[in-house]
Amino acid sequence: MNAGPVNLMSDTQTLPSEAMRATMAAAEVGDEQKLADPTTIELQDRVAALLGHEAGLFLPSGTMCNLIGFRLHLRPGGDEAILAANSHPVGFEGGSPAAFNGAMLRQIDAPTGIFSGEDVVASLREPGNRYAPRSRMISVEQTTNMGGGRVWSQAAIDEVVGVAREHQMRAHLDGARLMNAAVAAEAEPALFAAGFDTAWIDFSKALGAPVGAVLVGSEALIHEAWRFKQMIGGAMRQSGILAAACLFALDHHVGRLAADHDHARRLAEALADTPGAAVDPATVETNIVIFEVEDPAVFIAAAEARGVLVGPAGAGRVRAVTHLDVDDVAMQRAIDVLAELAQG
Ligand SMILES: *Cc1c(COP(=O)(O)O)cnc(C)c1O
């Protein structure tokens, strides 16, 4: 690892370890879509329990969890989802809420990705108004990806979910990095997820598995979710090979997320001391560091030339994401290179 570049492009860049591969190879498998894959069933049950919901559904990706979650809540044709403007479904899912639901997206301008109950109220449409779309659901991202890996507090979640309930709206939790939030806040993931109708976690991000995500909800919603999984080709066969990697990640890769958060914080502190990069270390709560530079393309190319890979994050911004394939030594190398570039 130390010979190659330090890859901070994303926590999706992690490679399955030898031990994870051995677990995958030994997995007990069956036909998943006939409900006969024991390893997949074990994973679904385990994530449902972890997030405090009745049932779980193994899906190939987080994007499919959002697609199906939104499809469960939005009635096709003119319903509206309320969510942050910089959230994943708005920017990075190929327009899926529009394509699969004919939905409107009511976007809240919240740079950290965290919005308030008041924001939701301000975004509501007048009920019964035939001119307006129908406000139907809210979606919360924990942690906020383009918001810089910020953690919604329990109080902030309770507030927006409370407003959704008051107005007969559904609530969906995009928990791509929910386990990062739980570790950072030293909180139970089930408490974060409890108030939502649907929630999910991704295994191919910081948890370091090659593929997989699990969507949870009530028995009834997950039963209905199966229809959409089948419809869009998400039903699998011997998926226990993949589910085994996710179980391995739950067993071995959760507690260690604290090290990634420490690495991210150290990077932010080093950059904060330079004239060429702007970031407030106090805002770095998990494994994502978004910092401002004068010319991201130039900065990213210069970093790459010196063996550190980082990515763009919109106008004037660069994103670095720490993960389990970047150890202390590699991280120090990355910090030294990025801070030096930001010095001048
Ligand atoms: C990555 C990500 C997704 C999509 O997950 P994939 O497994 O890449 O499809 C959704 N939401 C957020 C916040 C993400 O970071």
Side-chain angles (χ1 to χ4, degrees):
M1 180 79 212
N2 285 348
V6 184
N7 191 340
L8 300 173
M9 288 283 289
S10 174
D11 46 12
T12 58
Q13 305 281 307
T14 53
L15 301 177
S17 63
E18 285 305 318
M20 179 180 274
R21 286 169 186 256
T23 306
M24 296 170 75
E28 209 185 317
V29 297
D31 189 340
E32 183 248 10
Q33 58 182 267
K34 300 260 189 295
L35 308 183
D37 186 279
T39 309
T40 300
I41 290 170
E42 183 187 341
L43 176 68
Q44 290 173 164
D45 290 348
R46 203 157 146 197
V47 177
L50 181 71
L51 302 189
H53 283 257
E54 284 174 8
L57 185 61
F58 187 48
L59 293 169
S61 68
T63 298
M64 200 181 281
C65 291
N66 277 341
L67 189 161
I68 292 178
F70 277 54
R71 187 63 189 76
L72 289 170
H73 304 317
L74 296 165
R75 299 156 298 192
D79 272 4
E80 193 163 67
I82 298 172
L83 73 184
N86 60 7
S87 65
H88 205 273
V90 172
F92 306 102
E93 298 181 9
S96 125
F100 288 88
N101 305 293
M104 302 282 286
L105 297 181
R106 183 78 148 163
Q107 300 173 32
I108 296 173
D109 185 18
T112 63
I114 296 172
F115 48 86
S116 67
E118 216 169 278
D119 292 328
V120 176
V121 169
S123 303
L124 286 169
R125 306 291 189 173
E126 188 192 334
N129 180 337
R130 67 184 159 87
Y131 294 99
R134 295 179 297 191
S135 305
R136 178 62 175 170
M137 67 174 286
I138 64 163
S139 180
V140 163
E141 207 170 278
Q142 177 77 306
T143 66
T144 66
N145 182 345
M146 283 302 156
R150 304 299 297 269
V151 178
W152 284 70
S153 69
Q154 189 66 50
I157 286 177
D158 292 347
E159 185 183 306
V160 296
V161 171
V163 171
R165 296 298 172 225
E166 240 172 83
H167 297 275
Q168 287 76 50
M169 284 192 291
R170 297 278 185 90
H172 172 78
L173 179 64
D174 172 340
R177 296 183 182 81
L178 178 62
M179 299 312 289
N180 291 83
V183 167
E186 296 182 22
E188 287 298 323
L191 284 179
F192 282 146
F196 293 90
D197 296 289
T198 45
W200 61 272
I201 57 174
D202 208 332
F203 288 94
S204 71
K205 298 277 169 78
L207 293 178
V211 176
V214 173
L215 176 73
V216 303
S218 66
E219 292 281 1
L221 280 175
I222 293 303
H223 182 77
E224 188 64 10
W226 256 111
R227 279 194 63 76
F228 298 118
K229 168 166 157 139
Q230 188 70 36
M231 201 183 285
I232 60 178
M236 293 175 265
R237 300 297 185 189
Q238 286 72 38
S239 59
I241 296 278
L242 303 172
C246 303
L247 285 165
F248 182 92
L250 282 181
D251 288 334
H252 301 283
H253 293 170
V254 175
R256 61 152 311 286
L257 292 172
D260 298 343
H261 302 167
D262 179 55
H263 288 166
R265 178 67 73 95
R266 278 169 41 202
L267 171 61
E269 282 165 358
L271 290 173
D273 287 338
T274 67
V279 58
D280 177 0
T283 65
V284 175
E285 299 177 272
T286 58
N287 70 330
I288 298 175
V289 184
I290 292 178
F291 53 96
E292 291 170 26
V293 296
E294 200 173 297
D295 189 334
V298 167
F299 188 93
I300 290 165
E304 183 175 356
R306 297 195 48 191
V308 178
L309 307 181
V310 289
R317 308 199 313 166
V318 174
R319 190 184 74 151
V321 187
T322 59
H323 55 76
L324 80 173
D325 284 351
V326 177
D327 63 15
D328 270 329
V329 175
M331 193 65 211
Q332 194 54 53
R333 196 147 62 85
I335 290 171
D336 291 344
V337 165
L338 297 176
E340 213 174 290
L341 288 174
Q343 274 303 344

